[in-house]
Structures are given as C-alpha cells and as structure tokens.
Amino acid sequence: MFINSGKIKFERRVNTFAAMPIFLRETRTVTDDQLITFMKDYRNTAPQFWADSFELYFNGEQSLYQPANPDMSYSETFKIPVAYKNKVYSNFSTGAVLTEKEAFEHVYFIKDSAKKLKWKLTEETREIAGYECHRANALLFDSIYIVAFYTDEIPTRGGPESFNGLPGMILGVAIPHQHITIFAQSVVSMGTEPGSWKVPAPGKSTLVNNKDFNIKTADMLKQFGLTSAWVQFFMDL
C-alpha cells in the first residue's frame, strides 16, 4: 500500500565504544598510553549505544524531522552537547531546508538548499519497519561513505535529517566509519496538514547557511579545545 503522508519514528544510534576513541584521539583529551585504560573503564560503566528517537512528518511536498521528546538532552556518558535534538524542515518543491541545531547550549538556525548526493543504486534489499527497501550508496562531503535504504511504497523523496534524493522515502541510513545509524522503527499513515507543524523559526536570530554554520562551530570547538572531525561531522549531518 502506497503512503502519501504520515509519520515515521526513527531511532538514531551512535556506537560510543567505537566513536569515543576517535573523539579522544582527535581532541587529545587523553594520551595514547592512557587510551586503553580509559576505554576499559568506559566500557564497564557506560552503555554502548547513545540512542535517541525522532519523528518525521511528511507529505508529497514537505517534511519535518524533530525529536520525539522535545526535552531530550545529550548523552550523559558520551558528554558531547551537540546536535542532540535537531529539527529539519524540508520543502521538496523549492529545495529549501531550514534546520535548528543546538551546540553547547547555543541554538543555530540554518537555511540552505537540500544536500545533493550522487546516489548509486544497488540490487540489495532489506525490510525496515515492514517495508521492502532498496540499498543506495553515496559519499557525503565527498569523503564520508554512507549507505541508505529507501522504499518506493512511500513516494516522498525525503528521509531523516536532510537526507533526500532517492526514488522513495529513506527509512534507513548507516554511516559505518562514523559509527552512526538512523533507522525507522514504525510508519503510520495519517494526514499531515502543514498548518499543524511547528516549523523551526529563528525569531530575531540570524539565519546562516551550512558553510557559515560549519565555520562558526569549528571556531567554537577550537575555543573549547575540542577540535574533532568526528564531532564536526555529527554537527553537520
């Protein structure tokens, strides 16, 4: 059954056992000699996965991706307060994307065009949330390998965060080298009148584009002594 509008519940998971060593090395928070001992203690006290739930409301022209719990916070064990409750509004007719992101208690509003990825479709399929999905591969930011699974039973060409551009709705995203996955848990067919959505609004705040956001957050990480390609990618996702 084809669905033209509805709500999808996604779970975003970060494998902290794999991501934490990357972060520690990049920020030089601990020395190489200390890393093994640190991670041994970390594995004994912290959960392996930082998991958050998001909801995607969609119809044929637009979508809104937001936290399932508006009061969600960042992981208490993976203490990096960035990108933990992103809101992403995508207009498929105009190609415009408006995003609200938090980083170190500062809210950024980003207005830019949708990411344009060169997807390579494959013959591989898998079932996600009861839908047969087709695999596609691409490079994000020209270097980060990503895998996406889309279903043509939901013709909206969107997905979680700002992922888009496949022949149907993206129900799963895996970013292997960054140890991040975003997969649908459920899909509900329902009316999604745009007037009922709370689209991110900057108010008096200044809108920036993706390039400016990248520069501002890179400077901020440098000030905190936390310069990390992994953290920067997580914020730019």
Side-chain angles (χ1 to χ4, degrees), residues 43-137:
R43 290 189 180 94
N44 289 332
T45 58
Q48 180 176 359
F49 294 98
W50 168 12
D52 287 322
S53 294
F54 290 81
E55 295 173 339
L56 178 71
Y57 293 87
F58 68 92
N59 58 30
E61 297 182 353
Q62 53 200 331
S63 70
L64 176 63
Y65 178 78
Q66 61 186 8
N69 173 14
D71 297 322
M72 76 185 339
S73 186
Y74 58 90
S75 168
E76 294 182 1
T77 52
F78 196 61
K79 296 182 181 295
I80 307 177
V82 298
Y84 50 94
K85 50 181 178 181
N86 295 350
K87 296 180 182 178
V88 184
Y89 170 76
S90 301
N91 188 308
F92 304 118
S93 299
T94 64
V97 177
L98 179 61
T99 307
E100 177 184 323
K101 295 183 177 182
E102 291 198 22
F104 294 92
E105 300 183 350
H106 186 87
V107 180
Y108 294 88
F109 291 90
I110 307 146
K111 186 176 183 180
D112 213 321
S113 55
K115 293 184 178 73
K116 294 181 180 180
L117 300 177
K118 294 182 179 180
W119 294 104
K120 181 179 180 181
L121 307 186
T122 77
E123 299 297 322
E124 182 180 339
T125 63
R126 67 178 290 180
E127 184 177 311
I128 301 174
Y131 289 83
E132 182 182 54
C133 296
H134 307 273
R135 175 173 174 167
N137 306 323

Side-chain angles (χ1 to χ4, degrees), residues 20-229:
M20 180 62 83
I22 298 174
F23 169 75
L24 295 174
R25 289 192 186 98
E26 290 178 340
T27 59
R28 299 181 181 178
T29 306
V30 300
T31 66
D32 291 341
D33 293 339
Q34 296 170 328
L35 183 59
I36 294 176
T37 301
F38 181 96
M39 287 307 303
K40 182 178 180 180
D41 292 339
Y42 185 85
R43 290 189 180 94
N44 289 332
T45 58
Q48 180 176 359
F49 294 98
W50 168 12
D52 287 322
S53 294
F54 290 81
E55 295 173 339
L56 178 71
Y57 293 87
F58 68 92
N59 58 30
E61 297 182 353
Q62 53 200 331
S63 70
L64 176 63
Y65 178 78
Q66 61 186 8
N69 173 14
D71 297 322
M72 76 185 339
S73 186
Y74 58 90
S75 168
E76 294 182 1
T77 52
F78 196 61
K79 296 182 181 295
I80 307 177
V82 298
Y84 50 94
K85 50 181 178 181
N86 295 350
K87 296 180 182 178
V88 184
Y89 170 76
S90 301
N91 188 308
F92 304 118
S93 299
T94 64
V97 177
L98 179 61
T99 307
E100 177 184 323
K101 295 183 177 182
E102 291 198 22
F104 294 92
E105 300 183 350
H106 186 87
V107 180
Y108 294 88
F109 291 90
I110 307 146
K111 186 176 183 180
D112 213 321
S113 55
K115 293 184 178 73
K116 294 181 180 180
L117 300 177
K118 294 182 179 180
W119 294 104
K120 181 179 180 181
L121 307 186
T122 77
E123 299 297 322
E124 182 180 339
T125 63
R126 67 178 290 180
E127 184 177 311
I128 301 174
Y131 289 83
E132 182 182 54
C133 296
H134 307 273
R135 175 173 174 167
N137 306 323
L139 290 178
L140 186 60
F141 308 132
D142 297 324
S143 61
I144 306 298
Y145 179 68
I146 64 172
V147 177
F149 293 91
Y150 70 93
T151 177
D152 49 20
E153 295 178 54
I154 305 177
T156 301
R157 299 167 67 93
E161 296 287 354
S162 57
F163 288 105
N164 70 93
L166 283 167
M169 178 63 74
I170 298 171
L171 295 183
V173 174
I175 312 165
H177 297 295
Q178 311 306 114
H179 311 288
I180 301 167
T181 60
I182 310 172
F183 275 78
Q185 305 296 301
S186 63
V187 179
V188 178
S189 176
M190 57 184 286
T192 54
E193 293 76 11
S196 65
W197 301 357
K198 191 174 181 180
V199 177
K204 296 181 180 179
S205 300
T206 302
L207 282 168
V208 297
N209 59 26
N210 284 317
K211 182 179 179 180
D212 290 337
F213 173 74
N214 185 282
I215 293 172
K216 288 178 180 292
T217 51
D219 288 343
M220 179 184 62
L221 290 176
K222 186 176 181 180
Q223 291 173 8
F224 282 103
L226 296 175
T227 298
S228 164

